[in-house]
Amino acid sequence: MTANENPFENELTGSSESAPPALESKTGESLKYCKYTVDQVIEEFQTDGLKGLCNSQDIVYRRSVHGPNEMEVEEEESLFSKFLSSFYSDPLILLLMGSAVISFLMSNIDDAISITMAITIVVTVGFVQEYRSEKSLEALNKLVPAEAHLTRNGNTETVLAANLVPGDLVDFSVGDRIPADVRIIHASHLSIDESNLTGENEPVSKDSKPVESDDPNIPLNSRSCIGYMGTLVRDGNGKGIVIGTAKNTAFGSVFEMMSSIEKPKTPLQQAMDKLGKDLSAFSFGIIGLICLVGVFQGRPWLEMFQISVSLAVAAIPEGLPIIVTVTLALGVLRMAKQRAIVKRLPSVETLGSVNVICSDKTGTLTQNHMTVNRLWTVDMGDEFLKIEQGESYANYLKPDTLKVLQTGNIVNNAKYSNEKEKYLGNPTDIAIIESLEKFDLQDIRATKERMLEIPFSSSKKYQAVSVHSGDKSKSEIFVKGALNKVLERCSRYYNAEGIATPLTDEIRRKSLQMADTLASSGLRILSFAYDKGNFEETGDGPSDMIFCGLLGMNDPPRPSVSKSILKFMRGGVHIIMITGDSESTAVAVAKQVGMVIDNSKYAVLSGDDIDAMSTEQLSQAISHCSVFARTTPKHKVSIVRALQARGDIVAMTGDGVNDAPALKLADIGIAMGNMGTDVAKEAADMVLTDDDFSTILSAIQEGKGIFYNIQNFLTFQLSTSIAALSLIALSTAFNLPNPLNAMQILWINIIMDGPPAQSLGVEPVDKAVMNKPPRKRNDKILTGKVIQRVVQSSFIIVCGTLYVYMHEIKDNEVTARDTTMTFTCFVFFDMFNALTTRHHSKSIAELGWNNTMFNFSVAASILGQLGAIYIPFLQSIFQTEPLSLKDLVHLLLLSSSVWIVDELRKLYVRRRDASPYNGYSMAV
């Protein structure tokens, strides 16, 4: 967000541009009454500007009409009902539940218990994540003040803010939160921090004068006589008439938008839904096919039904949901270390699908810290002093430049906090104080005593102070503010020798021209003036002053943003900057951060442009647009809807209450951890603890890697389960004895669903993944390439295992050695299959052995298999017998074929799709 209520913006440069619009109250109460005079408001509400409401019956009636002044959340479904609904809302979970029931009916108790446990774990983890994330409305409610200073019938007391009704008279001072939307009828140096509503950091000066404007939609932060519910009084005090309560407030508008927006399903959730349906179709197809084959062979219907159902249940990888959950959870932990806190597990993978990022400017693309980087005095002519970070400019000090800095130092209200070890106050004041060090100057305010001050106001557009160093007869006047307002109070200027020289019209013109030049670079301009003497507090202010010069400052881009944006663009991600700034300022900043703006006519759209477009028109125009200027929260929601209508997967950043609806609507809402409000954090899916745009790059890289990891262990699981299914199906079809007993199948299932499979989900993310384009919203997890890998691996495993089995039963008698050889062969195939599914295109030589969990889990599985063969106790359980070293070498050589064949495939793919993408195949 941009601090558009900075008292010296826009008018500083002589620009006629108004402050950008912000959130509009849905009811328009504040829009209506900001144009009313105080007397008109009092008459409209039939109240008293001193005594408040006096008729108790009237107060009761008003409460009955308008209700209590609090946000009422609709009664939600009970937690138990929500938990139960989690079981039947996911097709894959329904499929697993069906397989558990069938397993139980067929007395396969072990399978039934393991599947039930898997379902319970997955649903519970998902439910807890969802429950914790749906707190945005509660956080919004917390911003409504608990108490108010209410005057009724001439008596003032502190009451619950919920008791307020329209027409009530309330007062407020420093530290109070405005208890309802109020029309201010009295203000004394009143400034209100509206950042939790508008996102604008600067406190807004308020007064009781009606807003005079022909604009039918006066921006919220331009309604200078309105105080909004939940905003904080930073300075001064005031009184106001309540004009809106509860949902008839600006906060109420946000509340209703939040209530009406439903979080869309993530691409991963959609893909898992499709996978559940595909597996269901596959399972029923298997049942039907095998039943028909058995019937044609003359076998009983019941027998064939039991066999086919058992095979169909075996084909369903019941460990898949657990592995997905574990993989996402581990991704959350890794991202937390990179300063990105993810609140919803599926959102981790969604990051990898994002193809549009809508980003705020201030604090995300920029550092959210104003810095002085230009200094100009009249004698510099067409040149100016460029001030860089970390450099010393003491050699550039001359009488005129020194006077600019000293004036900025003295007419300054920033204060140093020992507790926080930094300056606090107006960002422009802080920037000036911090710039002194670059010129080897000290803060000299302690040597001056301030006598009078004219604080900044929206009408004066300048600030003036009168100080002395102990002798009032030697008082001095210092002024800073908008250039045109300061120049009209000056008749002279300081030259390079520090001599006051007449200020001609030509010099005035050059000063305004320089201010425009600096402002066109996205800088905020302050002008300064000085004089000896004093001024009257009640008069017209200082006059006949000496013009000193200009300072230009801005919020510099974060150092790593340009590189991050370049990487995003290479990876097919469209970056859109959304700001409340003017078009010219927005374009200047966009170019500074590395965004490509070829033609501002098409690349920049304003809030007015959005209002004039339908969703379809906006969807078409948005493909060429990189910057949205002068936007409101309503515009942000429109932008997200238009992008989603095109099929884009949208990430939206924000920090204010006004951003919450768009954050909730976006596929990925990203809130700022340092500057963000609680409402924005609760509405978002991810919180950046460092407010740094570059962190999003790391998060998206992690999300992309997680999706490919999910594909990899899905390849492993399906190829293993299909191989086991085919092995049993073929032996049944050819009327052969079962090659594996129940305990051996259980052990294979443990390997398929256990640590070896889970270790594939934590494979380190390949940085080259950012060079691949984002996947589309409707893309399936089971792509053609994945199915090809599954079929290839399962075919080799089945052929190799059947070869060993058929070779061992030549005597037509199944012995313990026969099943041991077959069992061990299948397990070894499984381990080599796990090795080959670590990556879809890179060989093991490129990957190395950096997945510690994989190394340990495979080693443990091999040791477990050897234990099942050689430990007498386990031999009796698995019905195995010892194998010779020759047998083991033979099985290892045979089972390694699945890895060798896939390595050859990967070599072919890399050569075919040779590209500058580090071996990545764009076709996968």
Side-chain angles (χ1 to χ4, degrees):
M1 285 297 172
T2 176
N4 287 300
E5 278 299 330
N6 172 37
F8 305 108
E9 189 176 14
N10 298 323
E11 287 294 336
L12 308 181
T13 63
S15 170
S16 61
E17 294 174 335
S18 61
L23 180 66
E24 295 179 15
S25 173
K26 185 175 180 180
T27 62
E29 300 296 332
S30 63
L31 177 60
K32 174 182 177 182
Y33 292 111
C34 72
K35 299 179 181 180
Y36 280 36
T37 65
V38 171
D39 291 337
Q40 287 174 323
V41 172
I42 291 174
E43 181 180 354
E44 176 83 7
F45 285 93
Q46 298 180 5
T47 184
D48 189 292
L50 296 176
K51 297 181 179 180
L53 295 174
C54 299
N55 189 323
S56 59
Q57 291 183 344
D58 180 37
I59 294 171
V60 172
Y61 173 74
R62 295 188 189 205
R63 185 175 293 115
S64 68
V65 172
H66 299 282
N69 180 34
E70 57 188 6
M71 305 297 180
E72 297 179 358
V73 181
E74 293 182 7
E75 187 174 345
E76 295 186 353
E77 190 179 2
S78 68
L79 289 179
F80 182 70
S81 299
K82 282 187 175 182
F83 182 69
L84 287 181
S85 68
S86 301
F87 284 91
Y88 58 78
S89 59
D90 186 338
L92 185 58
I93 296 297
L94 284 174
L95 182 60
L96 292 176
M97 289 172 63
S99 65
V101 172
I102 293 173
S103 298
F104 179 79
L105 294 177
M106 298 184 66
S107 300
N108 296 330
I109 306 300
D110 291 340
D111 280 348
I113 292 175
S114 63
I115 294 173
T116 303
M117 289 181 62
I119 294 171
T120 304
I121 292 172
V122 170
V123 170
T124 302
V125 171
F127 172 76
V128 170
Q129 287 288 329
E130 291 294 325
Y131 172 73
R132 291 178 61 187
S133 69
E134 289 299 322
K135 296 292 183 182
S136 53
L137 293 180
E138 292 183 17
L140 185 59
N141 232 338
K142 291 178 182 177
L143 289 173
V144 179
E147 296 180 336
H149 307 299
L150 171 65
T151 299
R152 282 181 183 166
N153 202 20
N155 298 316
T156 301
E157 57 183 336
T158 301
V159 301
L160 293 176
N163 294 328
L164 296 181
V165 297
D168 267 329
L169 175 64
V170 293
D171 62 79
F172 29 82
S173 57
V174 176
D176 290 338
R177 287 198 179 274
I178 306 297
D181 277 10
V182 301
R183 169 59 167 89
I184 297 169
I185 64 172
H186 171 76
S188 176
H189 300 298
L190 180 64
S191 65
I192 298 178
D193 181 355
E194 297 176 348
S195 60
N196 62 0
L197 176 64
T198 66
E200 315 302 341
N201 297 325
E202 294 293 335
V204 182
S205 297
K206 298 290 185 179
D207 55 43
S208 61
K209 299 176 182 178
V211 177
E212 296 179 1
S213 174
D214 296 329
D215 187 352
N217 294 305
I218 300 172
L220 180 145
N221 56 1
S222 295
R223 302 170 194 173
S224 57
C225 58
I226 301 294
Y228 301 101
M229 174 189 277
T231 57
L232 181 66
V233 178
R234 286 292 189 188
D235 194 14
N237 59 78
K239 292 184 178 182
I241 302 293
V242 174
I243 58 174
T245 59
K247 292 186 177 181
N248 293 330
T249 62
F251 262 109
S253 178
V254 176
F255 192 89
E256 290 193 349
M257 290 177 70
M258 290 287 293
S259 301
S260 63
I261 291 176
E262 183 177 352
K263 189 70 184 177
K265 275 193 172 184
T266 69
L268 178 62
Q269 289 172 320
Q270 294 173 344
M272 294 300 288
D273 287 348
K274 291 180 181 178
L275 178 60
K277 294 174 183 177
D278 292 342
L279 288 177
S280 298
F282 177 76
S283 300
F284 288 125
I286 289 291
I287 292 174
L289 179 62
I290 294 182
C291 272
L292 287 175
V293 171
V295 170
F296 284 135
Q297 290 179 340
R299 300 189 184 191
W301 274 94
L302 181 60
E303 176 188 347
M304 291 313 304
F305 177 75
Q306 290 177 331
I307 291 174
S308 58
V309 169
S310 298
L311 292 176
V313 171
I316 301 171
E318 63 268 15
L320 177 60
I322 282 187
I323 297 177
V324 170
T325 302
V326 169
T327 302
L328 295 177
L330 291 173
V332 167
L333 295 177
R334 287 197 299 269
M335 290 168 68
K337 293 179 181 179
Q338 299 179 39
R339 300 174 296 280
I341 308 300
V342 179
K343 296 162 53 185
R344 300 173 66 230
L345 286 181
S347 300
V348 179
E349 186 278 328
T350 308
L351 283 161
S353 305
V354 167
N355 66 330
V356 178
I357 298 177
C358 298
S359 176
D360 271 339
K361 175 178 71 70
T362 303
T364 308
L365 298 177
T366 64
Q367 298 178 23
N368 196 24
H369 187 86
M370 294 299 293
T371 304
V372 173
N373 52 23
R374 298 289 188 275
L375 187 152
W376 179 83
T377 60
V378 173
D379 278 6
M380 290 184 182
D382 295 331
E383 303 295 327
F384 50 78
L385 178 61
K386 187 175 181 180
I387 303 172
E388 302 286 353
Q389 294 289 336
E391 300 291 334
S392 175
Y393 294 90
N395 294 333
Y396 292 88
L397 273 181
K398 293 181 179 180
D400 54 350
T401 56
L402 176 62
K403 187 59 70 174
V404 170
L405 294 167
Q406 285 182 341
T407 303
N409 180 192
I410 295 194
V411 60
N412 195 304
N413 292 329
K415 296 181 179 179
Y416 187 78
S417 169
N418 290 315
E419 180 182 353
K420 296 186 177 182
E421 298 182 343
K422 64 178 183 179
Y423 282 97
L424 302 178
N426 189 302
T428 54
D429 282 351
I430 296 173
I432 294 170
I433 293 294
E434 291 178 344
S435 69
L436 298 177
E437 185 178 352
K438 299 174 185 178
F439 293 86
D440 291 345
L441 297 176
Q442 300 295 322
D443 185 356
I444 60 173
R445 287 178 295 173
T447 65
K448 306 288 184 180
E449 182 177 342
R450 185 176 293 192
M451 296 187 298
L452 294 175
E453 176 182 0
I454 298 177
F456 174 85
S457 69
S458 56
S459 58
K460 290 187 177 68
K461 299 293 183 184
Y462 73 88
Q463 178 184 0
V465 296
S466 175
V467 301
H468 64 82
S469 300
D471 186 351
K472 291 184 179 182
S473 64
K474 296 181 180 180
S475 297
E476 299 171 293
I477 304 171
F478 297 88
V479 175
K480 73 174 178 184
L483 178 58
N484 58 341
K485 297 295 183 180
V486 171
L487 281 178
E488 68 184 24
R489 297 182 176 275
C490 296
S491 60
R492 295 160 291 164
Y493 75 92
Y494 271 111
N495 62 20
E497 285 73 37
I499 300 172
T501 307
L503 185 63
T504 64
D505 291 340
E506 177 64 17
I507 292 175
R508 292 177 188 272
R509 186 188 63 78
K510 285 186 177 180
S511 300
L512 291 169
Q513 185 178 6
M514 176 55 66
D516 289 339
T517 300
L518 296 177
S520 65
S521 301
L523 298 182
R524 216 173 264 178
I525 311 303
L526 281 177
S527 62
F528 302 88
Y530 164 83
D531 197 11
K532 295 180 179 179
N534 204 341
F535 59 85
E536 295 294 331
E537 187 175 13
T538 57
D540 294 330
S543 60
D544 193 29
M545 299 196 63
I546 307 171
F547 177 64
C548 301
L550 304 175
L551 286 180
M553 59 193 72
N554 72 345
D555 183 5
R558 290 182 178 271
S560 56
V561 162
S562 297
K563 292 181 180 179
S564 298
I565 288 179
L566 181 60
K567 290 180 180 179
F568 276 129
M569 291 191 295
R570 285 176 178 172
V573 180
H574 181 197
I575 306 297
I576 293 176
M577 185 177 80
I578 303 178
T579 177
D581 281 336
S582 66
E583 288 89 335
S584 58
T585 301
V587 169
V589 174
K591 290 180 178 179
Q592 289 175 16
V593 299
M595 296 175 64
V596 179
I597 310 292
D598 294 327
N599 188 335
S600 59
K601 180 179 179 181
Y602 300 103
V604 182
L605 289 177
S606 67
D608 291 338
D609 294 330
I610 298 173
D611 290 333
M613 293 180 180
S614 64
T615 301
E616 292 75 15
Q617 291 173 325
L618 183 57
S619 297
Q620 294 174 0
I622 215 167
S623 60
H624 307 289
C625 183
S626 298
V627 175
F628 286 93
R630 296 199 176 282
T631 55
T632 71
K634 183 181 70 173
H635 293 142
K636 290 186 177 183
V637 171
S638 298
I639 292 168
V640 173
R641 291 194 192 280
L643 289 166
Q644 291 176 335
R646 293 171 3 124
D648 293 322
I649 298 175
V650 185
M652 168 69 76
T653 71
D655 53 12
V657 172
N658 61 335
D659 296 318
L663 291 175
K664 186 175 180 181
L665 177 63
D667 297 283
I668 291 289
I670 304 173
M672 303 298 109
N674 291 329
M675 300 299 294
T677 60
D678 289 342
V679 179
K681 294 175 189 176
E682 293 293 350
D685 304 289
M686 184 171 78
V687 178
L688 305 182
T689 59
D690 58 357
D691 291 9
D692 192 344
F693 182 82
S694 301
T695 304
I696 303 176
L697 180 69
S698 302
I700 287 182
Q701 179 175 294
E702 186 71 38
K704 282 190 173 184
I706 283 174
F707 173 74
Y708 292 114
N709 284 349
I710 291 174
Q711 276 193 327
N712 289 337
F713 70 65
L714 185 60
T715 302
F716 170 72
Q717 277 208 318
L718 289 181
S719 58
T720 300
S721 62
I722 289 175
L725 171 66
S726 302
L727 186 64
I728 298 172
L730 288 172
S731 61
T732 302
F734 291 105
N735 206 19
L736 296 173
N738 198 331
L740 301 171
N741 61 45
M743 290 306 299
Q744 291 169 352
I745 293 176
L746 177 62
W747 174 244
I748 290 173
N749 278 331
I750 290 174
I751 292 176
M752 183 178 73
D753 296 330
Q758 294 178 17
S759 66
L760 294 173
V762 296
E763 190 71 29
V765 175
D766 188 349
K767 293 184 178 180
V769 76
M770 285 305 297
N771 293 322
K772 293 179 66 65
R775 67 187 187 92
K776 297 179 180 178
R777 184 183 295 275
N778 56 354
D779 283 355
K780 295 182 178 180
I781 291 182
L782 288 178
T783 63
K785 293 294 182 181
V786 171
I787 293 174
Q788 178 184 325
R789 293 171 62 198
V790 169
V791 171
Q792 172 189 294
S793 296
S794 57
F795 177 77
I796 296 173
I797 293 172
V798 169
C799 290
T801 307
L802 272 178
Y803 164 77
V804 171
Y805 180 57
M806 298 299 292
H807 182 270
E808 293 296 326
I809 61 170
K810 287 182 179 179
D811 53 4
N812 293 323
E813 183 179 346
V814 179
T815 64
R817 171 183 166 78
D818 300 337
T819 56
T820 303
M821 286 288 288
T822 307
F823 174 41
T824 305
C825 179
F826 194 96
V827 170
F828 283 179
F829 262 121
D830 229 19
M831 295 300 97
F832 279 108
N833 189 33
L835 180 64
T836 197
T837 52
R838 282 183 61 192
H839 199 281
H840 63 272
S841 63
K842 284 192 174 182
S843 69
I844 188 63
E846 294 176 274
L847 292 175
W849 301 95
N850 55 351
N851 188 340
T852 306
M853 181 179 177
F854 177 85
N855 300 337
F856 279 113
S857 60
V858 170
S861 298
I862 294 175
L863 289 175
Q865 180 64 25
L866 295 176
I869 298 173
Y870 295 108
I871 297 176
F873 170 71
L874 295 178
Q875 286 176 345
S876 62
I877 294 177
F878 289 98
Q879 299 177 19
T880 58
E881 66 178 38
L883 300 177
S884 66
L885 180 61
K886 180 181 178 182
D887 290 331
L888 291 178
V889 172
H890 170 66
L891 293 177
L892 281 172
L893 290 175
L894 177 64
S895 58
S896 66
S897 61
V898 70
W899 170 65
I900 294 171
V901 170
D902 202 65
E903 287 290 296
L904 293 174
R905 179 194 67 81
K906 291 175 181 177
L907 179 61
Y908 168 74
V909 168
R910 289 196 300 275
R911 288 182 175 179
R912 183 195 64 189
D913 300 321
S915 67
Y917 296 135
N918 299 323
Y920 262 90
S921 167
M922 299 300 290
V924 176

